Short mmCIF file of all heavy atoms in Angstrom, two decimals:
data_model
loop_
_atom_site.label_atom_id
_atom_site.label_comp_id
_atom_site.label_asym_id
_atom_site.label_seq_id
_atom_site.Cartn_x
_atom_site.Cartn_y
_atom_site.Cartn_z
N LYS A 6 2.35 14.34 -4.67
CA LYS A 6 2.26 15.06 -5.94
C LYS A 6 3.36 14.63 -6.91
O LYS A 6 3.11 14.49 -8.12
CB LYS A 6 2.33 16.57 -5.71
CG LYS A 6 1.03 17.18 -5.23
CD LYS A 6 1.10 18.70 -5.21
CE LYS A 6 -0.25 19.32 -4.85
NZ LYS A 6 -0.20 20.80 -4.84
N LYS A 7 4.57 14.44 -6.41
CA LYS A 7 5.66 14.01 -7.29
C LYS A 7 5.39 12.62 -7.86
O LYS A 7 5.65 12.37 -9.05
CB LYS A 7 6.98 14.01 -6.51
CG LYS A 7 8.20 13.51 -7.31
CD LYS A 7 8.46 14.37 -8.53
CE LYS A 7 9.83 14.11 -9.14
NZ LYS A 7 10.00 12.73 -9.63
N ASP A 8 4.87 11.73 -7.04
CA ASP A 8 4.51 10.39 -7.53
C ASP A 8 3.47 10.48 -8.65
O ASP A 8 3.59 9.84 -9.70
CB ASP A 8 3.94 9.53 -6.40
CG ASP A 8 4.92 9.33 -5.25
OD1 ASP A 8 6.14 9.34 -5.49
OD2 ASP A 8 4.44 9.17 -4.11
N LEU A 9 2.44 11.29 -8.42
CA LEU A 9 1.37 11.43 -9.41
C LEU A 9 1.90 12.08 -10.69
O LEU A 9 1.51 11.69 -11.80
CB LEU A 9 0.23 12.27 -8.83
CG LEU A 9 -0.54 11.61 -7.68
CD1 LEU A 9 -1.40 12.64 -6.95
CD2 LEU A 9 -1.40 10.47 -8.19
N PHE A 10 2.80 13.03 -10.54
CA PHE A 10 3.42 13.69 -11.68
C PHE A 10 4.16 12.67 -12.54
O PHE A 10 3.98 12.62 -13.77
CB PHE A 10 4.39 14.76 -11.16
CG PHE A 10 5.05 15.59 -12.22
CD1 PHE A 10 4.36 16.60 -12.86
CD2 PHE A 10 6.38 15.37 -12.57
CE1 PHE A 10 4.98 17.39 -13.83
CE2 PHE A 10 7.00 16.14 -13.53
CZ PHE A 10 6.31 17.16 -14.17
N ASP A 11 4.96 11.84 -11.91
CA ASP A 11 5.71 10.82 -12.65
C ASP A 11 4.80 9.78 -13.28
O ASP A 11 4.98 9.39 -14.44
CB ASP A 11 6.73 10.14 -11.73
CG ASP A 11 7.92 11.01 -11.40
OD1 ASP A 11 8.23 11.93 -12.18
OD2 ASP A 11 8.56 10.78 -10.35
N ILE A 12 3.82 9.32 -12.52
CA ILE A 12 2.90 8.29 -13.04
C ILE A 12 2.14 8.81 -14.25
O ILE A 12 2.05 8.13 -15.29
CB ILE A 12 1.92 7.83 -11.94
CG1 ILE A 12 2.66 7.01 -10.88
CG2 ILE A 12 0.78 7.00 -12.55
CD1 ILE A 12 1.83 6.72 -9.63
N LEU A 13 1.58 10.00 -14.15
CA LEU A 13 0.76 10.51 -15.25
C LEU A 13 1.60 10.89 -16.47
O LEU A 13 1.13 10.77 -17.61
CB LEU A 13 -0.11 11.68 -14.78
CG LEU A 13 -1.20 11.29 -13.79
CD1 LEU A 13 -2.06 12.50 -13.42
CD2 LEU A 13 -2.09 10.18 -14.33
N TYR A 14 2.84 11.31 -16.25
CA TYR A 14 3.73 11.51 -17.41
C TYR A 14 4.01 10.17 -18.08
O TYR A 14 4.01 10.06 -19.32
CB TYR A 14 5.02 12.20 -16.99
CG TYR A 14 5.07 13.65 -17.43
CD1 TYR A 14 4.74 14.67 -16.53
CD2 TYR A 14 5.40 14.00 -18.73
CE1 TYR A 14 4.75 16.00 -16.92
CE2 TYR A 14 5.41 15.33 -19.13
CZ TYR A 14 5.09 16.31 -18.23
OH TYR A 14 5.09 17.63 -18.64
N GLY A 15 4.28 9.14 -17.28
CA GLY A 15 4.49 7.82 -17.85
C GLY A 15 3.28 7.34 -18.62
O GLY A 15 3.39 6.77 -19.71
N CYS A 16 2.10 7.58 -18.06
CA CYS A 16 0.86 7.19 -18.74
C CYS A 16 0.68 7.93 -20.06
O CYS A 16 0.20 7.38 -21.05
CB CYS A 16 -0.34 7.45 -17.83
SG CYS A 16 -0.47 6.33 -16.43
N THR A 17 1.06 9.20 -20.09
CA THR A 17 0.95 9.99 -21.31
C THR A 17 1.87 9.45 -22.39
O THR A 17 1.48 9.35 -23.57
CB THR A 17 1.28 11.46 -21.02
OG1 THR A 17 0.40 11.95 -20.01
CG2 THR A 17 1.13 12.32 -22.27
N ILE A 18 3.08 9.09 -22.02
CA ILE A 18 4.01 8.48 -22.97
C ILE A 18 3.44 7.17 -23.50
O ILE A 18 3.45 6.90 -24.71
CB ILE A 18 5.38 8.27 -22.31
CG1 ILE A 18 6.06 9.63 -22.08
CG2 ILE A 18 6.27 7.35 -23.14
CD1 ILE A 18 7.24 9.58 -21.13
N LEU A 19 2.91 6.35 -22.60
CA LEU A 19 2.32 5.07 -22.99
C LEU A 19 0.97 5.24 -23.68
O LEU A 19 0.43 4.29 -24.23
CB LEU A 19 2.18 4.18 -21.75
CG LEU A 19 3.51 3.83 -21.06
CD1 LEU A 19 3.26 3.17 -19.71
CD2 LEU A 19 4.36 2.93 -21.93
N GLY A 20 0.46 6.46 -23.67
CA GLY A 20 -0.82 6.75 -24.32
C GLY A 20 -0.74 6.83 -25.83
O GLY A 20 -1.78 6.89 -26.49
N THR A 21 0.46 6.87 -26.40
CA THR A 21 0.67 6.87 -27.85
C THR A 21 -0.20 7.90 -28.57
O THR A 21 -0.78 7.62 -29.61
CB THR A 21 0.45 5.47 -28.46
OG1 THR A 21 -0.94 5.10 -28.35
CG2 THR A 21 1.30 4.42 -27.78
N GLY A 22 -0.29 9.09 -28.00
CA GLY A 22 -1.06 10.17 -28.62
C GLY A 22 -2.47 10.32 -28.11
O GLY A 22 -3.11 11.35 -28.33
N GLY A 23 -3.00 9.30 -27.44
CA GLY A 23 -4.36 9.36 -26.91
C GLY A 23 -4.35 9.33 -25.39
O GLY A 23 -3.36 9.65 -24.75
N GLY A 24 -5.48 8.95 -24.81
CA GLY A 24 -5.54 8.82 -23.36
C GLY A 24 -5.93 10.06 -22.60
O GLY A 24 -5.98 10.05 -21.37
N GLY A 25 -6.21 11.16 -23.32
CA GLY A 25 -6.68 12.36 -22.66
C GLY A 25 -5.57 13.32 -22.27
O GLY A 25 -4.38 13.02 -22.37
N SER A 26 -5.97 14.48 -21.79
CA SER A 26 -5.07 15.59 -21.51
C SER A 26 -4.27 15.38 -20.23
O SER A 26 -4.84 15.25 -19.14
CB SER A 26 -5.87 16.89 -21.40
OG SER A 26 -5.09 17.93 -20.85
N LEU A 27 -2.94 15.39 -20.34
CA LEU A 27 -2.07 15.32 -19.17
C LEU A 27 -2.25 16.57 -18.31
O LEU A 27 -2.35 16.48 -17.07
CB LEU A 27 -0.61 15.20 -19.61
CG LEU A 27 0.44 15.39 -18.52
CD1 LEU A 27 0.35 14.30 -17.46
CD2 LEU A 27 1.85 15.43 -19.13
N GLU A 28 -2.32 17.72 -18.94
CA GLU A 28 -2.47 18.97 -18.20
C GLU A 28 -3.72 18.95 -17.34
O GLU A 28 -3.68 19.30 -16.15
CB GLU A 28 -2.51 20.15 -19.18
CG GLU A 28 -2.63 21.51 -18.52
CD GLU A 28 -2.66 22.65 -19.52
OE1 GLU A 28 -2.55 22.37 -20.74
OE2 GLU A 28 -2.80 23.81 -19.09
N GLN A 29 -4.84 18.52 -17.93
CA GLN A 29 -6.09 18.45 -17.18
C GLN A 29 -6.02 17.39 -16.10
O GLN A 29 -6.51 17.58 -14.97
CB GLN A 29 -7.24 18.15 -18.13
CG GLN A 29 -8.62 18.28 -17.49
CD GLN A 29 -8.96 19.69 -17.07
OE1 GLN A 29 -8.89 20.61 -17.88
NE2 GLN A 29 -9.31 19.88 -15.81
N GLY A 30 -5.40 16.25 -16.42
CA GLY A 30 -5.26 15.19 -15.43
C GLY A 30 -4.48 15.64 -14.21
O GLY A 30 -4.89 15.39 -13.06
N LEU A 31 -3.34 16.31 -14.43
CA LEU A 31 -2.53 16.79 -13.31
C LEU A 31 -3.28 17.85 -12.50
O LEU A 31 -3.26 17.83 -11.27
CB LEU A 31 -1.22 17.38 -13.83
CG LEU A 31 -0.19 16.37 -14.33
CD1 LEU A 31 0.97 17.09 -15.01
CD2 LEU A 31 0.34 15.49 -13.19
N GLU A 32 -3.96 18.75 -13.19
CA GLU A 32 -4.72 19.79 -12.49
C GLU A 32 -5.77 19.17 -11.56
O GLU A 32 -5.92 19.60 -10.41
CB GLU A 32 -5.40 20.70 -13.51
CG GLU A 32 -6.24 21.81 -12.90
CD GLU A 32 -6.95 22.65 -13.95
OE1 GLU A 32 -6.41 22.78 -15.07
OE2 GLU A 32 -8.04 23.18 -13.65
N ASN A 33 -6.44 18.15 -12.03
CA ASN A 33 -7.52 17.55 -11.25
C ASN A 33 -7.01 16.75 -10.06
O ASN A 33 -7.59 16.81 -8.97
CB ASN A 33 -8.38 16.67 -12.15
CG ASN A 33 -9.21 17.47 -13.14
OD1 ASN A 33 -9.36 18.69 -13.00
ND2 ASN A 33 -9.74 16.81 -14.15
N VAL A 34 -5.92 15.99 -10.24
CA VAL A 34 -5.41 15.23 -9.10
C VAL A 34 -4.76 16.14 -8.07
O VAL A 34 -4.86 15.90 -6.86
CB VAL A 34 -4.44 14.10 -9.53
CG1 VAL A 34 -5.15 13.07 -10.39
CG2 VAL A 34 -3.20 14.64 -10.22
#
Side-chain angles (χ1 to χ4, degrees):
K6 281 188 175 181
K7 177 60 167 62
D8 300 331
L9 293 166
F10 184 77
D11 286 336
I12 290 170
L13 292 183
Y14 254 98
C16 289
T17 302
I18 289 166
L19 298 169
T21 67
S26 167
L27 169 64
E28 181 180 358
Q29 189 65 54
L31 287 171
E32 178 182 331
N33 290 346
V34 296

